[in-house]
Structures are given as structure tokens and as C-alpha cells.
Amino acid sequence: MDAHLAGICNDFYVNQKIAVTMDVPEGREAVLDLFGRIQKQFPRLERLRRYEGEYALESEDVDGTYSWVALRQTTLRSGFVNPQSLDEAYRLHRSLLDIAPYYLSVSPLDLDHIELVFGFDFEADRDRDEIVFEALLADSPLAELVDRDRERLVEAQPLLGIALDDDPRMQAFFEIKSRPARGRTGVPGTEGTEPISVYLTARASGPIKSLDELPSLFARLAGHSERLVEERLIPSVLVPIRRAILSRPC
């Protein structure tokens, strides 16, 4: 994991999604040609898997670090979990932007959007909604919506979106997922092993004029993401959640 983040969260990952309007080729030859090309450049991606509606190329999980590429009907996604550096994850994503349009016959007009996602997972042994509420909402006016003496919180999953660069096609979203599924006790947020997840999603909407724009689009998304993580997400979301988890261990 990036050393800067190792002390804040349990897992950190950088994902990318290339979304198109028209269906991508899903035949055996198209999938194997694309994945074979990717595997030559990234030899650790050596396991071909088939899931419902998806083909995936995956690496082994080595001490919590692994990467993957997944092809669906209208998306090509990639991810790197606990990379040693951002550049390590970026190399995979940039490579897909370079080769995928030609293997999947993606045109500039066909591009719907590109997303770059920074994800942060926190393991917690007590109610995850309570943790999110305490960390992010307890001192805000929204806290007045809940009578803490009489009512039990059942969901706290904030989502905010902003436009970037005064460009409506460039957006960023901050999302916190507590995954408040009810367990056998009927009490949300207390059962299961799912973590609290924090996502920063930077999105550039298409279409574009030329495939040559893809590298600069990625650079803009990466630049915005790194800035927002450093200046806003770490001090305003990640550190408070970490502090709330440690302040009242189960």
C-alpha cells in the first residue's frame, strides 16, 4: 500500500472505468486478443475468469496486493488494490486507455465517460452507520434530524457531487458506504464483515473529438483526484472516520 495511506485505512485501491454507448465485441476471439495483449504487458495478470455478464483477468493476491481487468457489455474496468505507489496503478489504467479502443473498436463518438476512483476501506467491529454519523454528521445541522435518545440510526451514507474546472463534463463525487444490510438480529450495520468504504470518483463525460485526448483526460482526472484526496478527503473524511473507529473499540 502507498505508505502515505497505510496508517489511515485498511485497504486502498485505484480503479478505472471506460464506459461506451454501443456494446463492445464479446466474442471469444475479441476477448482473448484483448486480454492476451494486456497479459503480455502485465504478466502478473494471469488468471482468466468468467462471471455473470463479465470476463475478468486477475492477478494473484500477494499480501493484500492484486490487480484486475474486467470486460462487460458496455464497460472495461480495471483496478489495483494496495499498490506500492500511484504510478503502479496508473500504468495499468493508462495502458488500457491506449490499447482498448483499438481492440474493442471504440470511437470518440462512442465514449460515454471515463471514471477514476480512489477507494478507501475501513474495517470496523461496531455499528458502521454509527461510526459514519459520529465522524461526519454529529456536529452538523443534519444531526438534529435524529433523536439520539429515542431513535436508532439505521443508515448514514453521505454523497456529494461537484463540477470541476467550471466544466459540467468534469465532475467529482464523494461517497461513504456503510453497507447497512440487516443481519439475523434485524439490526443494521452490526453484522457481516463488509468494511466502511469511502470513494472519490472523478468522471469525464464524452463524447470526445479524438482518441488522442484520452491521455490528457486521464491526467486531468488523476490530478483532480490527488488534489481532492490530499486537501479534502484525508482531513475531512478519512481521518475523522479512523478516529471514530479507534475512539470506541468494540
Side-chain angles (χ1 to χ4, degrees), residues 122-176:
F122 295 84
E123 296 176 0
D125 292 328
R126 62 185 179 91
D127 192 307
R128 295 178 288 278
D129 292 297
E130 291 285 349
I131 291 171
V132 173
F133 185 89
E134 292 169 12
L136 306 178
L137 301 173
D139 295 327
S140 78
L142 288 175
E144 299 301 319
L145 297 175
V146 183
D147 185 339
R148 305 288 281 164
D149 294 327
R150 301 174 55 190
E151 298 162 351
R152 182 181 184 86
L153 189 70
V154 297
E155 185 170 342
Q157 301 192 99
L159 169 65
L160 295 173
I162 59 174
L164 300 170
D165 289 342
D166 295 324
D167 182 351
R169 298 198 308 167
M170 295 284 291
Q171 301 174 339
F173 300 88
F174 304 90
E175 184 176 13
I176 296 89

Side-chain angles (χ1 to χ4, degrees), residues 13-235:
Y13 39 95
V14 183
N15 299 344
Q16 177 180 259
K17 180 170 72 173
I18 305 169
V20 296
T21 302
M22 304 290 290
D23 292 357
V24 300
E26 293 185 280
R28 174 184 175 87
E29 183 176 354
V31 173
L32 290 178
D33 284 349
L34 172 64
F35 282 179
R37 173 64 177 82
I38 296 169
Q39 204 267 337
K40 285 182 180 179
Q41 189 168 351
F42 300 94
R44 285 185 293 182
L45 290 166
E46 58 185 6
R47 293 190 301 171
L48 180 62
R49 307 287 291 272
R50 182 172 184 171
Y51 301 99
E52 184 176 355
E54 180 176 87
Y55 297 99
L57 188 63
E58 303 171 346
S59 74
E60 293 288 343
D61 184 336
V62 180
D63 297 326
T65 296
Y66 59 94
S67 53
W68 53 270
V69 177
L71 180 66
R72 282 182 173 268
Q73 189 173 20
T74 58
T75 62
L76 178 65
R77 299 179 299 119
S78 51
F80 210 122
V81 180
N82 295 323
Q84 294 300 310
S85 67
L86 289 178
D87 285 341
E88 187 176 25
Y90 288 171
R91 282 195 295 272
L92 173 62
H93 302 324
R94 288 194 185 104
S95 177
L96 291 184
L97 286 173
D98 183 40
I99 66 177
Y102 302 99
Y103 280 84
L104 299 178
S105 302
V106 176
S107 75
L109 183 63
D110 190 29
L111 183 70
D112 186 75
H113 65 268
I114 299 173
E115 287 184 352
L116 188 64
V117 179
F118 279 49
F120 309 83
D121 284 353
F122 295 84
E123 296 176 0
D125 292 328
R126 62 185 179 91
D127 192 307
R128 295 178 288 278
D129 292 297
E130 291 285 349
I131 291 171
V132 173
F133 185 89
E134 292 169 12
L136 306 178
L137 301 173
D139 295 327
S140 78
L142 288 175
E144 299 301 319
L145 297 175
V146 183
D147 185 339
R148 305 288 281 164
D149 294 327
R150 301 174 55 190
E151 298 162 351
R152 182 181 184 86
L153 189 70
V154 297
E155 185 170 342
Q157 301 192 99
L159 169 65
L160 295 173
I162 59 174
L164 300 170
D165 289 342
D166 295 324
D167 182 351
R169 298 198 308 167
M170 295 284 291
Q171 301 174 339
F173 300 88
F174 304 90
E175 184 176 13
I176 296 89
K177 300 290 287 185
S178 60
R179 298 183 174 88
R182 291 183 181 274
R184 291 185 300 275
T185 64
V187 179
T190 58
E191 294 192 4
T193 59
E194 292 292 324
I196 296 170
S197 294
V198 178
Y199 302 115
L200 169 64
T201 301
R203 177 186 299 163
S205 298
I208 57 178
K209 294 181 179 179
S210 169
L211 294 176
D212 294 336
E213 295 179 35
L214 292 177
S216 62
L217 270 182
F218 180 87
R220 290 176 65 191
L221 292 175
H224 282 304
S225 297
E226 292 179 34
R227 175 180 60 84
L228 292 172
V229 167
E230 289 290 337
E231 296 179 0
R232 304 184 195 181
L233 205 65
I234 289 177

